[in-house]
């Protein structure tokens, strides 16, 4: 288990994630608004009392505010930061009135509102596309390497060497296509399309309901086939990596440690953790050639069953996913969109499961949990941290598109109603809807914050 970052690192990482993402979101609104000639009265990172700021030559007050949990652009004609329309436009000159948000055509207002979440989405797509372009795409099929204990798939008739080519009729081309059909659905029965010895068969498998922990002890409830696909390929390094210092490279396939054959990445921790500080022989396949590297294991820290801190051996490697194929710029962008929409799809699935009772509301997280994860990902290195920032950016885009008054999706819902009615909702009805929506959002924030606090280790979470 990796040691948790300290409080200062956690706060710094949280602000480093949230600040730029809020800035990007609000810049989307601001720039499209400016394109259409709308004046911005205020551009704020954070809510509440202003800490620092300045006013530009266009009359926009740029500021940083005390509560760093979001931000806003207040356009001319807005009554407040939630963009409720103001009824008090008396006294404005025709030129001033032409610069207000609410006099603009419906399509322009819709684009200004949509620009915020769309910018967050495009930012995430750019990050994912850059990683795809730099590292390539996974092309390894979902081939069964081995089974875990009490495997549901093995009990259903799946065999080592089988390739999973579909789940419930949805095509599975590579191992990376599989999680979205399995992980969100603990306890559900799925039909696997299996290719075995050149023929296709269908096998129903009831997914196990498992709770798993990451290297920081964070727990997640997932659906599990009981199949080990973790190809023992070096996908990256972290910390003061003993493996990297010993000569291993990304893409090496580990075939043995000392005299133990390695078929799955999950076998590696069992062999190295009891041997902190010792030197082991790591046998790898590199470009078709077998090479042997002596590696002196690093020392990490974990907590045993009795709650005592113990020293564990670490190679300092991340799991790879088998064969990687380079991609061009256009394909990288395409994959960026596909990956981003796949993440959004899983978010929709998760929210639906909470409403139907398949998942507990305790699985919802808020700012404290985001801060905790920010610090943890920051401690793993810049690549993990930037990947996490992309995930949070997709979350911000998704949440802001929900049709809740006060959020961007709520305003888009108003415009949809305006399109149908051929006239806008009254200022009073919009104001009350926004107040109700903001109250709901604040209540949800309080609820998830209590959830976050309750999940902290000091409270037994």
């Amino acid at each position: 288990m990796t040691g948790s970052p300290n409080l200062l690192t956690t706060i710094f990482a949280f602000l480093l994630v949230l600040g730029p993402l809020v800035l990007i979101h609000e810049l989307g609104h601001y720039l499209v608004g400016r394109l259409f000639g709308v004046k911005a009265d205020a551009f704020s990172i954070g809510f509440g009392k202003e800490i620092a700021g300045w006013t530009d030559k266009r009359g926009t007050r740029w500021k940083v505010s005390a509560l760093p949990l979001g931000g806003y652009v207040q356009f001319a004609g807005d009554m407040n930061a939630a963009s409720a329309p103001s009824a008090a436009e008396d006294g404005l000159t025709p030129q001033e009135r032409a610069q207000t948000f609410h006099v603009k055509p419906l399509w322009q207002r819709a684009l200004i509102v949509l620009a915020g979440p769309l910018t967050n989405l495009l930012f995430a797509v750019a990050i994912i596309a850059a990683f795809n372009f730099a590292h390539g795409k996974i092309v390894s099929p979902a081939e069964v390497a081995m089974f875990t204990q009490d495997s549901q798939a093995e009990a259903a008739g799946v065999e080592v060497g089988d390739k999973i080519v579909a789940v419930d009729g949805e095509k599975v081309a590579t191992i990376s296509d599989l999680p979205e059909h399995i992980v969100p659905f603990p306890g559900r029965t799925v039909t696997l399309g299996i290719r075995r010895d050149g023929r296709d068969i269908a096998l129903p498998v009831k997914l196990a309901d498992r709770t798993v922990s990451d290297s920081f002890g964070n727990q997640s409830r997932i659906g599990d086939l009981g199949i080990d696909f973790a190809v023992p390929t070096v996908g990256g390094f972290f910390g003061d990596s003993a493996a990297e210092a010993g000569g291993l490279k990304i893409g090496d396939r580990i075939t043995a440690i000392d005299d133990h054959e390695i078929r799955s990445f999950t076998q590696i921790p069992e062999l190295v953790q009891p041997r902190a500080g010792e030197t082991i022989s790591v046998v790898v396949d590199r470009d078709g050639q077998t090479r042997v590297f002596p590696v002196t294991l690093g020392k990490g820290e974990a907590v045993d069953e009795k709650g005592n801190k113990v020293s564990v051996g670490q190679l300092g490697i991340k799991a790879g996913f088998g064969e990687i194929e380079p991609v061009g710029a256009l394909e990288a962008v395409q994959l960026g969109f596909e990956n981003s929409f796949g993440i959004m799809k899983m978010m929709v699935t998760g929210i639906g499961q909470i409403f139907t009772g398949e998942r507990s509301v305790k699985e919802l997280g808020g700012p404290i949990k985001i801060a905790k994860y920010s610090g943890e990902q920051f401690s793993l290195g810049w690549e993990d941290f930037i990947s996490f920032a992309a995930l949070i950016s997709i979350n911000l885009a998704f949440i802001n598109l929900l049709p809740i008054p006060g959020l961007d999706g709520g305003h888009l819902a108003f415009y949809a109603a305006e399109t149908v009615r051929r006239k806008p909702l009254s200022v009073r009805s919009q104001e009350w809807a926004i107040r109700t929506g903001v109250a709901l959002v604040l209540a949800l924030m309080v609820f998830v914050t209590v959830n976050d606090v309750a999940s902290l280790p000091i409270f037994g979470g």
Side-chain angles (χ1 to χ4, degrees):
M1 187 177 294
T2 305
S4 296
N6 61 42
L7 180 60
L8 287 178
T9 299
T10 297
I11 293 172
F12 173 75
F14 176 60
L15 295 177
L16 195 58
V17 166
L18 199 61
L21 293 184
V22 170
L23 177 64
I24 287 167
H25 180 98
E26 300 304 333
L27 272 176
H29 292 310
Y30 172 80
L31 292 174
V32 177
R34 183 171 162 182
L35 177 68
F36 293 136
V38 181
K39 179 179 179 294
D41 290 334
F43 186 113
S44 178
I45 302 300
F47 297 103
K49 184 178 177 63
E50 178 180 326
I51 297 175
W54 74 95
T55 302
D56 67 17
K57 63 183 180 181
R58 295 183 178 83
T60 302
R61 183 66 180 174
W62 298 78
K63 57 187 178 179
V64 176
S65 300
L67 189 61
L69 296 179
Y72 61 88
V73 178
Q74 186 168 343
F75 290 113
D78 290 346
M79 181 174 65
N80 53 35
S83 287
S86 173
E89 292 189 2
D90 295 338
L92 295 181
T93 66
Q95 182 180 4
E96 291 172 332
R97 185 173 287 106
Q99 292 181 310
T100 62
F101 175 79
H102 299 282
V103 302
K104 295 300 178 181
L106 179 61
W107 68 272
Q108 291 186 4
R109 283 180 280 143
L111 286 177
I112 292 170
V113 169
L114 184 61
L118 185 59
T119 305
N120 276 131
L121 177 62
L122 292 177
F123 178 72
V125 168
I127 290 175
I128 297 171
F131 284 148
N132 282 322
F133 185 71
H135 300 307
K137 66 177 181 179
I138 300 164
V139 294
S140 294
E143 183 174 333
V144 179
M146 57 190 297
F147 296 103
T148 60
Q149 188 175 7
D150 300 323
S151 168
Q152 301 281 353
E154 186 177 24
V158 179
E159 298 177 1
V160 171
D162 285 350
K163 292 180 181 178
I164 299 177
V165 295
V167 178
D168 288 335
E170 299 268 347
K171 182 181 177 182
V172 173
T174 71
I175 193 171
S176 59
D177 297 330
L178 198 58
E180 67 179 277
H181 302 295
I182 302 298
V183 172
F185 305 110
R188 184 175 296 187
T189 297
V190 299
T191 300
L192 300 183
I194 300 291
R195 185 157 297 154
R196 179 186 299 166
D197 299 328
R199 57 193 178 90
D200 291 339
I201 58 176
L203 292 173
V205 179
K206 183 176 182 180
L207 301 177
D209 188 335
R210 284 187 57 205
T211 299
V212 297
S213 298
D214 65 12
S215 58
F216 296 98
N218 301 306
Q219 294 187 333
S220 303
R221 180 170 166 255
I222 66 168
D224 183 38
L225 279 168
I227 296 175
D228 196 338
F229 298 103
V231 180
T233 302
V234 179
F237 303 102
F238 66 86
D240 297 323
S241 172
E244 187 175 25
L248 272 71
K249 294 183 178 180
I250 293 175
D252 285 347
R253 185 182 180 114
I254 299 174
T255 58
I257 292 179
D258 291 336
D259 297 325
H260 299 276
E261 181 186 4
I262 302 297
R263 296 179 58 191
S264 167
F265 197 92
T266 55
Q267 294 173 267
I268 296 174
E270 300 173 3
L271 295 172
V272 304
Q273 286 181 354
R275 303 180 62 182
E278 296 183 26
T279 298
I280 61 173
S281 293
V282 181
V283 184
V284 306
D285 182 321
R286 179 184 295 174
D287 300 326
Q289 295 184 337
T290 298
R291 303 186 65 175
V292 182
F293 296 91
V295 176
T296 301
L297 296 174
K299 295 181 180 180
E301 191 177 85
V303 179
D304 65 17
E305 296 176 355
K306 297 180 180 179
N308 301 313
K309 291 183 178 180
V310 295
S311 181
V312 296
Q314 287 186 334
L315 268 175
I317 62 175
K318 302 173 187 176
F321 296 94
E323 188 178 349
I324 304 294
E325 182 179 282
V327 298
L330 290 179
E331 187 177 3
V333 172
Q334 178 188 341
L335 290 170
F337 276 104
E338 290 176 359
N339 295 156
S340 297
F341 287 129
I343 292 170
M344 278 194 171
K345 181 180 176 181
M346 292 181 73
M347 291 176 188
V348 172
T349 298
I351 290 176
Q353 289 175 330
I354 288 172
F355 276 107
T356 60
E358 290 182 73
R359 288 188 177 272
S360 169
V361 292
K362 293 182 179 180
E363 295 187 45
L364 290 172
I368 293 177
K369 190 167 287 186
I370 293 173
K372 180 176 182 291
Y373 290 162
S374 298
E376 292 167 352
Q377 296 303 309
F378 184 78
S379 72
L380 294 176
W382 282 107
E383 190 164 311
D384 291 274
F385 183 68
I386 293 171
S387 295
F388 177 73
L391 176 63
I392 297 300
S393 195
I394 293 171
N395 270 269
L396 286 175
F398 174 75
I399 290 170
N400 273 282
L401 286 173
L402 294 176
I404 299 174
L407 299 179
D408 295 330
H411 291 291
L412 293 174
F414 289 157
Y415 303 151
E418 184 175 338
T419 301
V420 173
R421 299 174 74 244
R422 299 186 180 276
K423 63 178 181 178
L425 300 174
S426 69
V427 171
R428 185 172 180 80
S429 61
Q430 289 188 55
E431 179 185 338
W432 277 105
I434 289 172
R435 286 181 179 178
T436 302
V438 170
L440 287 172
V441 171
L442 290 175
L444 180 61
M445 285 290 290
V446 171
F447 177 80
V448 295
T449 301
V450 171
N451 255 359
D452 289 352
V453 171
S455 69
L456 294 175
I458 59 173
F459 293 98

